[in-house]
């Protein structure tokens, strides 16, 4: 009764590709009414090792995926947990170790405390049977331990009443990751399944869990693109599947996805760009200076960012090279170990940089770099030109490209599919003084309707008004019209 996904593999002639819609339609038609019978199962085993305890970078990545926290928010909360919280019965306690580290090393005493906790609460068979560590690469500074709970016996539930909701979520993530890193592997039984349907062969692959190991406590957050190798129900040869759905999807080669905060953080770590203490500030700064902008969860370069990047690559190729930080770290390490003089190291860097800066200033003297303007569909009612998007102190706005002859400006209005339940006007997206989004009637101030919940395109079946999306775990659609009360889970 559990669903399983299988993919077309070949036909009776061994043909593995479907090259046209006509071929696909013929295949789908011939599969109607066919039985899907399991003809072969190939089983195997594999182990899934627990993740390592957190470094600064992996904490930021996991908090982004699992909790939807920005890197800046993660570091702010981690700082609070590190500095100390008043825990009932324990006084002020620094709940985690130092938050800026790229080492996965763990102190022996902490490892023993965690192992004792695992044996007592889960059993000896849940203890790691090997070393869940990896050798630090040459780019890693090993001055600090991994990020872990400073007192492993203080479980998330014991401190929950002393923490804010977000502090609790982050502490729970750090605590569970650390304990899980010292637990046993998950054991999986893998299956490769052949399924025959008429003249066609389909294949499915997946696994069943033989021993849950560390996953009894902790499962890593998932990226947006999931692995197709998922759990399979128990299957035997000769068993018949019930066809639930046939999908004839056409797939196109997709460009690489844009970075989000987690993947950009990971890329900086892998390329040795910056240090653990600079990952979050770097992303915050390029967002604040509008070199990039958020598009849903992705980070998108702005026109200003592209112009500045091109200029930096042209005038300062050594500075914007991905190897710059890593090379500087090596040179500073040489100074630390007495293999180089700090005066000469600084002179070598600043001498080349000063020459590049002087040359760039000379070549750009009196020249203004023009940032491409984004043209809108809004027509300036004063001069008839298409208005362009500009950025100011309070965000983006529309301005006439005929400035200074025409000084017309407008707010950017983002309409929603909703209709105001009070007056029937359009509902538009607005922002409060602290930049929080809300939704209000376009006829303000004649109509004062507003809502923190986003209007949907669906209409209430009882009163015909717009339904709104309720936030949170118990979210759904509901009607805001007085005396209606309709809700849809």
């Amino acid at each position: 009764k559990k669903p399983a996904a299988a993919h077309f593999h070949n036909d009776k002639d061994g043909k593995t590709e479907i090259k046209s819609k006509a071929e696909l339609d013929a295949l789908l038609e011939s599969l109607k009414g066919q039985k899907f019978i399991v003809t072969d199962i190939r089983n195997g085993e594999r182990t899934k090792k627990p993740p390592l305890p957190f470094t600064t970078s992996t904490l930021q990545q996991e908090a982004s995926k699992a909790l939807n926290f920005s890197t800046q928010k993660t570091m702010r909360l981690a700082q609070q947990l590190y500095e100390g919280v008043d825990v009932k019965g324990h006084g002020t306690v620094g709940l985690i170790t130092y938050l800026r580290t790229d080492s996965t090393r763990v102190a022996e005493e902490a490892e023993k405390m965690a192992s004792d906790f695992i044996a007592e609460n889960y059993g000896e068979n849940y203890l790691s049977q090997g070393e869940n560590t990896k050798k630090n690469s040459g780019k890693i500074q090993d001055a600090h331990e991994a990020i872990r709970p400073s007192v492993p016996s203080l479980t998330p539930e014991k401190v929950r009443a002393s923490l804010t909701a977000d502090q609790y979520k982050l502490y729970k993530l750090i605590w569970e990751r650390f304990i899980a890193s010292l637990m046993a592997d998950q054991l999986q039984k893998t299956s490769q399944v052949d399924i025959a349907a008429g003249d066609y062969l389909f294949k499915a692959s997946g696994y069943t869990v033989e021993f849950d190991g560390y996953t009894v406590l902790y499962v890593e957050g998932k990226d947006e693109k999931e692995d197709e190798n998922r759990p399979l129900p128990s299957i035997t040869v000769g068993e018949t599947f019930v066809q639930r759905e046939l999908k004839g999807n056409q797939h196109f080669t997709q460009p690489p996805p844009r970075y989000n905060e987690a993947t950009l953080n990971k890329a900086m770590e892998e390329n040795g760009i910056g240090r653990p203490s600079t990952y979050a500030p770097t992303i915050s700064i390029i967002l604040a200076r509008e070199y990039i902008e958020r598009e849903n969860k992705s980070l998108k370069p702005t026109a200003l960012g592209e112009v500045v990047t091109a200029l930096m690559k042209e005038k300062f190729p050594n500075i914007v090279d991905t190897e710059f930080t890593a090379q500087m770290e090596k040179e500073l390490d040489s100074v630390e170990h007495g293999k180089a003089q700090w005066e000469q190291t600084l002179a070598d860097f600043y001498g080349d940089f000063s020459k590049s800066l002087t040359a760039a200033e000379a070549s750009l003297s009196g020249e203004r770099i023009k940032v491409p303007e984004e043209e809108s569909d809004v027509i300036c009612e004063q001069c008839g030109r298409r208005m362009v998007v500009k950025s100011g102190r309070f965000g983006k706005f529309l301005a006439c490209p005929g400035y200074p002859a025409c000084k017309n400006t407008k707010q950017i209005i983002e309409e929603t599919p909703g209709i105001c339940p009070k007056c029937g006007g359009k509902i538009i997206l607005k922002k409060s003084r602290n930049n929080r989004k809300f939704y209000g009637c376009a006829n303000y101030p004649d109509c004062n309707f507003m809502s923190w919940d986003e209007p949907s395109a669906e209409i209430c079946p009882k009163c015909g008004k717009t339904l709104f999306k309720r936030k949170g775990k118990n979210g759904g659609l509901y009607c805001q019209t007085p005396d209606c009360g309709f809700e849809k889970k």
Side-chain angles (χ1 to χ4, degrees):
K1 294 183 180 180
K2 293 182 180 178
H7 299 271
F8 171 77
H9 185 67
N10 59 29
D11 60 16
K12 62 180 179 179
D13 300 319
K15 186 178 178 182
T16 59
E17 289 187 21
I18 303 169
K19 295 184 177 179
S20 67
K21 189 176 186 304
E23 286 184 16
L24 173 64
D25 291 341
L27 189 155
L28 293 174
E29 184 64 31
S30 66
L31 287 170
K32 288 182 179 178
Q34 293 286 354
K35 291 183 177 180
F36 288 75
I37 302 171
V38 177
T39 58
D40 188 31
I41 301 174
R42 295 171 300 283
N43 293 321
E45 289 185 348
R46 69 181 178 193
T47 59
K48 187 178 180 183
K49 291 191 172 295
L52 296 164
F54 282 130
T55 63
T56 304
S57 175
T58 54
L59 173 63
Q60 292 171 353
Q61 293 168 44
E62 189 67 8
S64 175
K65 288 188 288 186
L67 305 176
N68 201 25
F69 286 178
S70 68
T71 54
Q72 193 174 24
K73 180 177 181 177
T74 298
M75 294 304 283
R76 183 177 70 250
L77 293 169
Q79 184 71 36
Q80 293 165 4
L81 295 175
Y82 169 70
E83 288 179 353
V85 177
D86 287 330
V87 178
K88 189 176 181 181
H90 296 272
T92 301
V93 181
L95 289 174
I96 64 171
T97 54
Y98 191 57
L99 60 150
R100 295 176 181 90
T101 177
D102 49 10
S103 173
T104 56
R105 177 175 57 81
V106 171
E108 288 184 12
E109 62 208 53
E111 191 170 325
K112 186 179 184 308
M113 290 171 68
S115 296
D116 290 344
F117 178 89
I118 294 165
E120 182 180 341
N121 290 273
Y122 295 97
E124 295 283 343
N125 59 325
Y126 278 90
L127 278 171
S128 172
Q129 303 303 311
E131 292 287 330
N132 291 340
T133 57
K134 68 176 181 180
K135 188 176 180 181
N136 289 335
S137 71
K139 295 177 182 177
I140 295 212
Q141 304 292 310
D142 199 32
H144 301 284
E145 282 186 74
I147 302 173
R148 62 167 177 84
S150 54
V151 185
S153 59
L154 283 178
T155 64
E157 289 308 312
K158 287 182 179 179
V159 300
R160 184 169 193 168
S162 305
L163 303 178
T164 66
D166 286 342
Q167 286 174 341
Y168 168 74
K169 289 176 184 177
L170 191 66
Y171 180 70
K172 184 172 183 285
L173 188 71
I174 294 169
W175 186 89
E176 289 182 350
R177 173 81 165 222
F178 171 65
I179 299 296
S181 72
L182 297 168
M183 295 180 76
D185 300 346
Q186 183 194 67
L187 301 180
Q188 298 176 353
K189 182 179 178 182
T190 60
S191 300
Q192 302 287 329
V193 183
D194 290 353
I195 303 168
D199 293 332
Y200 303 102
L201 177 66
F202 288 77
K203 285 184 179 285
S205 62
Y207 64 90
T208 54
V209 176
E210 293 286 291
F211 175 62
D212 50 11
Y214 76 93
T215 60
V216 71
L217 174 67
Y218 176 80
V219 178
E220 288 183 271
K222 299 293 184 184
D223 290 315
E224 290 181 12
K225 188 174 182 181
E226 297 289 337
D227 185 359
E228 291 184 353
N229 194 12
R230 294 171 179 160
L232 280 176
S234 180
I235 300 170
T236 57
V237 173
E239 190 171 347
T240 301
F241 278 92
V242 176
Q243 179 185 308
R244 175 172 288 189
E245 184 180 12
L246 276 174
K247 292 183 178 180
N249 296 336
Q250 185 176 11
H251 293 281
F252 297 93
T253 302
Q254 297 292 323
R258 292 194 186 279
Y259 285 118
N260 55 37
E261 286 201 30
T263 56
L264 180 56
N265 192 305
K266 184 177 181 181
M268 287 194 291
E269 180 188 27
E270 289 175 344
N271 288 280
I273 300 171
R275 305 293 305 140
S277 59
T278 64
Y279 297 149
T282 297
I283 295 173
S284 299
I285 287 170
I286 59 178
L287 277 166
R289 294 182 181 172
E290 297 186 350
Y291 297 146
I292 61 172
E293 61 186 2
R294 285 193 175 91
E295 190 177 69
N296 297 320
K297 287 188 177 182
S298 298
L299 300 174
K300 176 185 173 183
T302 62
L304 174 63
E306 290 177 352
V307 167
V308 171
T309 299
L311 182 67
M312 291 293 289
K313 282 185 174 180
E314 179 188 350
K315 305 299 182 184
F316 305 98
N318 295 333
I319 300 295
V320 296
D321 180 46
T322 54
E323 295 294 321
F324 172 74
T325 307
Q327 183 58 36
M328 279 298 295
E329 288 290 342
K330 289 178 183 177
E331 292 176 8
L332 292 173
D333 285 343
S334 296
V335 172
E336 181 184 3
H337 298 131
K339 297 178 181 178
Q341 295 295 319
W342 69 268
E343 295 96 335
Q344 188 59 46
T345 300
L346 288 178
D348 291 343
F349 163 73
Y350 191 75
D352 290 340
F353 175 71
S354 180
K355 289 176 184 176
S356 298
L357 184 61
T358 301
E361 288 175 337
S363 65
L364 294 171
S365 179
E367 183 180 346
R368 290 180 65 88
I369 305 298
K370 186 170 177 61
V371 178
E373 293 175 334
E374 180 186 346
E375 197 175 68
S376 74
D377 295 329
V378 180
I379 304 298
C380 175
E381 64 271 19
Q382 295 185 16
C383 68
R385 294 183 176 93
R386 283 185 182 274
M387 303 189 83
V388 296
V389 179
K390 289 189 175 285
S391 295
R393 281 184 63 192
F394 303 104
K396 293 184 176 181
F397 63 96
L398 294 175
C400 182
Y403 182 87
C406 179
K407 298 180 179 178
N408 188 23
T409 60
K410 286 184 176 182
Q411 284 186 321
I412 293 178
I413 297 175
E414 189 175 329
E415 293 184 357
T416 72
I419 301 299
C420 176
K422 277 191 172 182
C423 71
K426 291 182 178 180
I427 298 177
I428 60 175
L429 174 65
K430 297 186 175 186
K431 288 187 178 180
S432 64
R433 288 184 180 179
N434 59 0
N435 214 32
R436 186 181 174 189
K437 290 182 179 180
F438 70 96
Y439 303 89
C441 183
N443 294 329
Y444 180 84
D446 295 330
C447 177
N448 63 355
F449 172 79
M450 68 81 62
S451 171
W452 293 111
D453 293 329
E454 181 182 357
S456 74
E458 289 197 39
I459 301 300
C460 176
K462 283 181 67 176
C463 67
K465 300 293 179 66
T466 291
L467 293 178
F468 290 77
K469 300 176 184 177
R470 180 177 280 117
K471 299 173 184 175
K473 291 181 180 179
N474 300 317
L477 298 177
Y478 72 101
C479 184
Q480 290 198 17
T481 306
D483 303 323
C484 177
F486 176 79
E487 291 191 12
K488 180 181 177 182
K489 295 295 183 184

